[in-house]
Amino acid sequence: MLGDIIYKKLDELAEFSKDGEGVTRLPFTKEHKEAITWLEDLMNSANLTTKIDNIGNLIGEYKSPTKNAKTLVIGSHQDSVINGGKYDGALGIVLPIMCFKDFYETHGALNYNIKFIAFADEEGVSFQTAFLTSKAVVGSFTPDLLERVRYDGKTLKKSLENFGLNADISECKINDVDTFLELHIEQGPILDNKNLSLGIVDAIQGIERYHVEITGFAGHSGTIPMDMRRDAGVGAAFVISRITEFAENLKNIVVTVGCLELIPGAVNVIPGKSIFSIDIRAMDPLLIKTMVDKINSVLSETCEKRDLSFVLERKMKADSTICSKNVINMLEESMKSAGVPIFHMTSGAGHDAQEMATIMDAGMLFIRCKKGISHNKEESVMTEDIDVACKVLAEYFKCYK
Ligand SMILES: [Zn+2]
């Protein structure tokens, strides 16, 4: 069955990872190069012609013999988080290619074109901004992003050049495309709880990410009385607990402080600086705005009270997205034809589909992952669910118009 073959292919792709637990495949690295070389072979074996655009996206194209044919775009991201799983992103690249190969070999030519994309950087681990490479595809990439610096001190521009790309991002914009479809593991527990293989995504939450720096004054932990300290670590602790409480009461919003660093970070030194991240997600943009206003006021109050100063900088923003009715209808039709129960849901996680939706009809199909575990080496999917997704995608290939 196709499910078993795809499952094995995903094991192979997962080998292109930095040493350590799970999969670590960051963009513009040796592992990325190895992965896209492997994916290029897979695309070629599926009768696709391949190219790599100037931001490192691998694109496999099927050209229909039909004149003035429409173009369907299908894709997901090749990169992972640090110590992530085998299926986040990867499943949405490998499954559609393998499914298309099977479909084409059985049914012959299609009356529309398809572009399969393996996006280089979706997670934003290296340059602290998500959807970097789908932004380039839709033309919303701004040149300042090229100056972003990653973990080894290299700018994005330099990383692209070292990867063999010329960094002329304007060339990446795709035109004459009609629909984008992304298949992705759910990364949450809803499908598993309902014992369903698939879910149609109706909408994707909006995200904003912030970088916060609180500055105080470092000093000896033994000699400076409590009331004479300018402790940036304590400032951060108060801010984090107050904004978390606020979010809990606000409802329908989630707020996460995932990174926190105290500087200099020694057991006997009062922190002179604290640096942390804030990730905010909600469907309603007004709720996000309310949260950001609150963060500003809590930072001001806390810093004033404790003689500290702060900088709050937005690193990333993606609006919430309503998926295309057209794509939702075709997914419903495909599930019906495949005899699969229809279930609708929203996405708590952000996806390249949000960027793609800014220039074309876009939608998503979620595949169950065990217990909703993701961004973790324990991430897992069942071959039976891959088979069900293939059946539905084959019906989608039939009904796409
Ligand atoms: Zn993903």
Side-chain angles (χ1 to χ4, degrees), residues 77 88-89 122-123 184 187 351:
H77 58 99
D88 177 3
E122 186 264 358
E123 298 285 1
H184 203 284
Q187 303 182 281
H351 295 286

PDB file of all heavy atoms in Angstrom, residues 77 88-89 122-123 184 187 351, ligand 1:
ATOM      1  N   HIS A  77       6.753  22.497   4.332  1.00  0.00           N
ATOM      2  CA  HIS A  77       8.130  22.916   4.590  1.00  0.00           C
ATOM      3  C   HIS A  77       9.072  21.757   4.882  1.00  0.00           C
ATOM      4  O   HIS A  77       8.689  20.791   5.542  1.00  0.00           O
ATOM      5  CB  HIS A  77       8.166  23.910   5.751  1.00  0.00           C
ATOM      6  CG  HIS A  77       7.583  23.368   7.020  1.00  0.00           C
ATOM      7  ND1 HIS A  77       8.356  22.860   8.018  1.00  0.00           N
ATOM      8  CD2 HIS A  77       6.297  23.239   7.446  1.00  0.00           C
ATOM      9  CE1 HIS A  77       7.574  22.457   9.008  1.00  0.00           C
ATOM     10  NE2 HIS A  77       6.313  22.674   8.686  1.00  0.00           N
ATOM     11  N   ASP A  88       6.232  16.735  10.668  1.00  0.00           N
ATOM     12  CA  ASP A  88       5.884  18.154  10.579  1.00  0.00           C
ATOM     13  C   ASP A  88       6.530  18.723   9.321  1.00  0.00           C
ATOM     14  O   ASP A  88       7.755  18.776   9.234  1.00  0.00           O
ATOM     15  CB  ASP A  88       6.409  18.861  11.846  1.00  0.00           C
ATOM     16  CG  ASP A  88       6.158  20.355  11.838  1.00  0.00           C
ATOM     17  OD1 ASP A  88       5.518  20.858  10.889  1.00  0.00           O
ATOM     18  OD2 ASP A  88       6.602  21.028  12.785  1.00  0.00           O
ATOM     19  N   GLY A  89       5.737  19.128   8.346  1.00  0.00           N
ATOM     20  CA  GLY A  89       6.260  19.649   7.087  1.00  0.00           C
ATOM     21  C   GLY A  89       6.560  18.552   6.085  1.00  0.00           C
ATOM     22  O   GLY A  89       5.981  18.510   4.998  1.00  0.00           O
ATOM     23  N   GLU A 122      10.119  27.526   7.129  1.00  0.00           N
ATOM     24  CA  GLU A 122       8.800  27.893   7.643  1.00  0.00           C
ATOM     25  C   GLU A 122       8.855  28.149   9.136  1.00  0.00           C
ATOM     26  O   GLU A 122       8.216  29.041   9.665  1.00  0.00           O
ATOM     27  CB  GLU A 122       7.796  26.774   7.342  1.00  0.00           C
ATOM     28  CG  GLU A 122       6.344  27.104   7.697  1.00  0.00           C
ATOM     29  CD  GLU A 122       5.913  26.597   9.077  1.00  0.00           C
ATOM     30  OE1 GLU A 122       6.723  25.944   9.755  1.00  0.00           O
ATOM     31  OE2 GLU A 122       4.781  26.851   9.475  1.00  0.00           O
ATOM     32  N   GLU A 123       9.643  27.334   9.845  1.00  0.00           N
ATOM     33  CA  GLU A 123       9.618  27.349  11.310  1.00  0.00           C
ATOM     34  C   GLU A 123      10.193  28.633  11.907  1.00  0.00           C
ATOM     35  O   GLU A 123       9.809  29.044  13.002  1.00  0.00           O
ATOM     36  CB  GLU A 123      10.379  26.138  11.867  1.00  0.00           C
ATOM     37  CG  GLU A 123       9.782  24.780  11.480  1.00  0.00           C
ATOM     38  CD  GLU A 123       8.513  24.468  12.263  1.00  0.00           C
ATOM     39  OE1 GLU A 123       8.073  25.282  13.083  1.00  0.00           O
ATOM     40  OE2 GLU A 123       7.954  23.378  12.028  1.00  0.00           O
ATOM     41  N   HIS A 184      -0.872  18.608   6.202  1.00  0.00           N
ATOM     42  CA  HIS A 184       0.006  18.783   7.364  1.00  0.00           C
ATOM     43  C   HIS A 184      -0.532  17.935   8.514  1.00  0.00           C
ATOM     44  O   HIS A 184      -1.734  17.746   8.624  1.00  0.00           O
ATOM     45  CB  HIS A 184       0.019  20.270   7.770  1.00  0.00           C
ATOM     46  CG  HIS A 184       1.232  20.667   8.546  1.00  0.00           C
ATOM     47  ND1 HIS A 184       1.396  20.351   9.867  1.00  0.00           N
ATOM     48  CD2 HIS A 184       2.350  21.344   8.188  1.00  0.00           C
ATOM     49  CE1 HIS A 184       2.570  20.821  10.281  1.00  0.00           C
ATOM     50  NE2 HIS A 184       3.167  21.431   9.288  1.00  0.00           N
ATOM     51  N   GLN A 187      -0.856  18.476  14.658  1.00  0.00           N
ATOM     52  CA  GLN A 187      -0.026  19.027  15.755  1.00  0.00           C
ATOM     53  C   GLN A 187      -0.845  19.354  16.998  1.00  0.00           C
ATOM     54  O   GLN A 187      -0.421  20.137  17.847  1.00  0.00           O
ATOM     55  CB  GLN A 187       0.747  20.278  15.310  1.00  0.00           C
ATOM     56  CG  GLN A 187       1.638  20.031  14.108  1.00  0.00           C
ATOM     57  CD  GLN A 187       2.436  21.253  13.713  1.00  0.00           C
ATOM     58  OE1 GLN A 187       1.903  22.146  13.075  1.00  0.00           O
ATOM     59  NE2 GLN A 187       3.694  21.297  14.072  1.00  0.00           N
ATOM     60  N   HIS A 351       0.942  28.289   9.422  1.00  0.00           N
ATOM     61  CA  HIS A 351       1.406  27.497   8.278  1.00  0.00           C
ATOM     62  C   HIS A 351       1.674  28.387   7.080  1.00  0.00           C
ATOM     63  O   HIS A 351       1.107  29.477   6.970  1.00  0.00           O
ATOM     64  CB  HIS A 351       0.344  26.451   7.911  1.00  0.00           C
ATOM     65  CG  HIS A 351       0.123  25.429   8.982  1.00  0.00           C
ATOM     66  ND1 HIS A 351       1.029  24.433   9.243  1.00  0.00           N
ATOM     67  CD2 HIS A 351      -0.863  25.283   9.876  1.00  0.00           C
ATOM     68  CE1 HIS A 351       0.592  23.699  10.251  1.00  0.00           C
ATOM     69  NE2 HIS A 351      -0.555  24.193  10.672  1.00  0.00           N
TER      70      HIS A 351
HETATM   71 ZN    ZN B   1       4.820  22.548  10.141  1.00  0.00          ZN
END
